[in-house]
Amino acid sequence: MTERTINIMHAEPSGPELLDMAICGGTVVTATDTVRCDVGIKDGKVTVLERGLERRAAKTIRADGKLVLPGGIDAHCHLDQQSPTGLRHADDFYSGTRSAAGGGTTTIIPFANQKKGEPLRAAVEAYQARARGRAVVDYAFHMIVSDPNEQVIGQELPSLIREGYTSFKVFMTYDALRLSDRQMLDLLSLSNRERALLMVHAENHDCIEWLTDALKNAGNTEPRFHAVAHSAIAESEATYRAISLAEVAGASVMIVHVSSGRALEEIERAQRRGLRVFAETCPQYLVLTADHLDCCGFEGAKFVCSPPPRKGEDQEALWGGLDRGALQIFSSDHAPYRYDGPTGKKAGGDRVSFDRIVNGVPGLETRLPLLFSRGVQGGRIDLQQFVALTATNPARLYGLYPRKGTIAVGSDADIAIWDPDLDVTITHDRLHDAMDYTPYEGMTVRGWPVVTISRGEIVAEDGEVSTDAGRGLFLLEDRIPGAKTERFAGRLESRKNPLQ
Ligand code: URP
Ligand code: ZN
Ligand code: ZN
C-alpha cells in the first residue's frame, strides 16, 4: 500500500474529558451490530461510542468509508516451537506478532508445547520466557499435553488450569505427541471437572502410517502423496472417535483445523444431538486444495500441512459450516517452517519422501484478508459472521471476552480499521513474518486492514508495522475457567448457530 489511506489529525487539549484518540466517521461492526458511530479511546480502553467525538480527542483518526472492526484474535498459531523432529520455527514472538499486527490481529493464542518426559509447568515457563520482551500484541497460551503422566494429571494440569491456562491441545497422531484413547479419556474427564477446554488434532495415526507405507512401497514419495496418506477418512474417523470419547467423559471438545466435509458431517451430527462440540477451520482449507501440493515438484512441500488441503467440494462444505455456525472459529494454524535452509521444508533435501517433510504453513498476516475477501466480499458470510469467527467467538471460547473480541465501552481498544475496497496482491515481501514464502503468493484479495490499534496504540498503518518488542501483554489473568458453560448457554455469536 503506497497511498496514505487514513487521515490523522491532532486537536488542542480541551479539558478533563479529553480522549486520547477518536476514530471518527467509520462504520463500527461487532458480531451483532453495524453502526455508524465514532469510537473514543482513553487509557487503552474504549470509553465512548457516539458521534461527534472529533473535538474531544487529542488525536483523531478519520475513517470515512472504512470499517471499524474488533482486532482479530488468532486462537491457533505456533511461534518459536520445535517440530517433533527438532526443526525450529522461523518466527519468534517478535516477528510473529508483527506479522499478526500487519494483518489486523491484536491477540494471539499460541501453544506451550510439552515434550514427553518434560514437566508441563517447565514447558509453560519456557514459552513464557520466549514471549517475554518480544511480543508486540497481546497473547495468551494454550498448552500441548503430550505426556499425561500421574504428576501432570494429578497436580500440574489442575493447578495450571486454576491459574488461568484454561485450554490445552492433544494429538491423535505424530509419534512424539499422540495419546491413546485411554489417555484422552483421562484428560477429557479432567477438563470437564476443572472447566477447561480440550482441543484435538483428529487424524487416525495407524491409517496414515498404513497408507504411507503402501504409497512408499509403490514408489510414490512426492509431496502430493502427503494429501493421499492423510486421507479425509482418517480425519473423519478420528473426529468421530474424539467426539465419542468426549461424550463418554461428559466433556466439551474443540476439534481444531477441520479440513474435510466428512469431518464436518461428524461435528454437525454431534451438535444436532446436543453435544458440546466446537470446531475451527483455517484459510488453507478454504483457499488451497490438494492440487497445490502437486504444483511444481518438491515446491509442493510449501503446502504440506496436516490435515492437508483437500478438494473443492470440501471447501464448499466448510463454507457452509462457517455460514451455519457449525464451525465457530477461524484461525491461521500459522506453523512457520521456511522452504529453504536447515530448519525448513528442505531440511532433509529436496528429494525426501513426503512423510519426512515438516508439517505446517504460515498464515498469521493473511488469515483475516483471505476470509474477508473470499467470505465477505465473495458473498458467503456477512460482516457480523466475519467478526464472530475471527474475534468474538475465540474470545468467548477461550475466556478473554469482553476484554477482547468486541468493540464496547470498557473493552480494550483493540481495533482494525479496514479499507473494504483495497485490492492487494499478496506477495511474501509485503508480509512481516520471518518466512521465505507465503502459500498465497500472487493471490489478490479485496479488503485489508489499513490501521491496527492495540490497547489504543497504533501498531500498524498502511502496511508498515511500527511498535516496540515487548509491549504485548500476557493475558493470563483474564482467562476464565468454564468459559465453555457460558458459550453453551447460547452466547456464541452466529446468525444460524445450531448451538443457540
Ligand atoms: O501441519 C500443521 N497443522 N502443523 C501445525 C501443528 C498442528 O498440528 O496444528
Ligand atoms: Zn494440529
Ligand atoms: Zn496447529
Side-chain angles (χ1 to χ4, degrees), residues 172 202 234-244 255 263 266-267:
M172 298 171 83
E235 184 188 9
S236 63
E237 185 281 329
T239 301
Y240 172 73
R241 187 155 34 102
I243 291 168
S244 303
I255 312 293
E266 299 301 339
I267 290 159

Side-chain angles (χ1 to χ4, degrees), residues 24 88 92 106 154 179 191 216 243 257 260 277 294 326 345 350 446 449 466:
C24 298
R88 192 145 208 125
D92 70 359
T106 49
L179 303 186
S191 73
K216 287 170 73 174
I243 291 168
H257 47 47
S260 65
V277 174
D294 193 16
K345 301 281 185 181
D350 59 9
R446 174 157 294 182
S466 55

Side-chain angles (χ1 to χ4, degrees), residues 11 53 83 143 222 224 235 257 279 285-286 369 372 403 460 492:
L53 295 182
S83 75
M143 299 171 285
E222 294 91 350
R224 68 191 165 102
E235 184 188 9
H257 47 47
Y285 305 121
L286 297 180
F372 187 92
R403 177 174 178 185
L492 266 186

Side-chain angles (χ1 to χ4, degrees), residues 6-21:
I6 295 282
N7 184 14
I8 299 180
M9 298 185 296
H10 296 268
E12 288 304 311
S14 62
E17 276 193 304
L18 191 70
L19 298 163
D20 298 331
M21 183 188 280

Side-chain angles (χ1 to χ4, degrees), residues 53-68:
L53 295 182
E54 198 154 68
R55 297 219 183 96
R56 286 179 48 190
K59 179 158 141 179
T60 299
I61 301 180
R62 291 282 347 156
D64 309 80
K66 308 287 189 299
L67 298 173
V68 180

Side-chain angles (χ1 to χ4, degrees), residues 169 171 201 257:
K169 181 178 175 189
F171 287 76
H201 179 127
H257 47 47

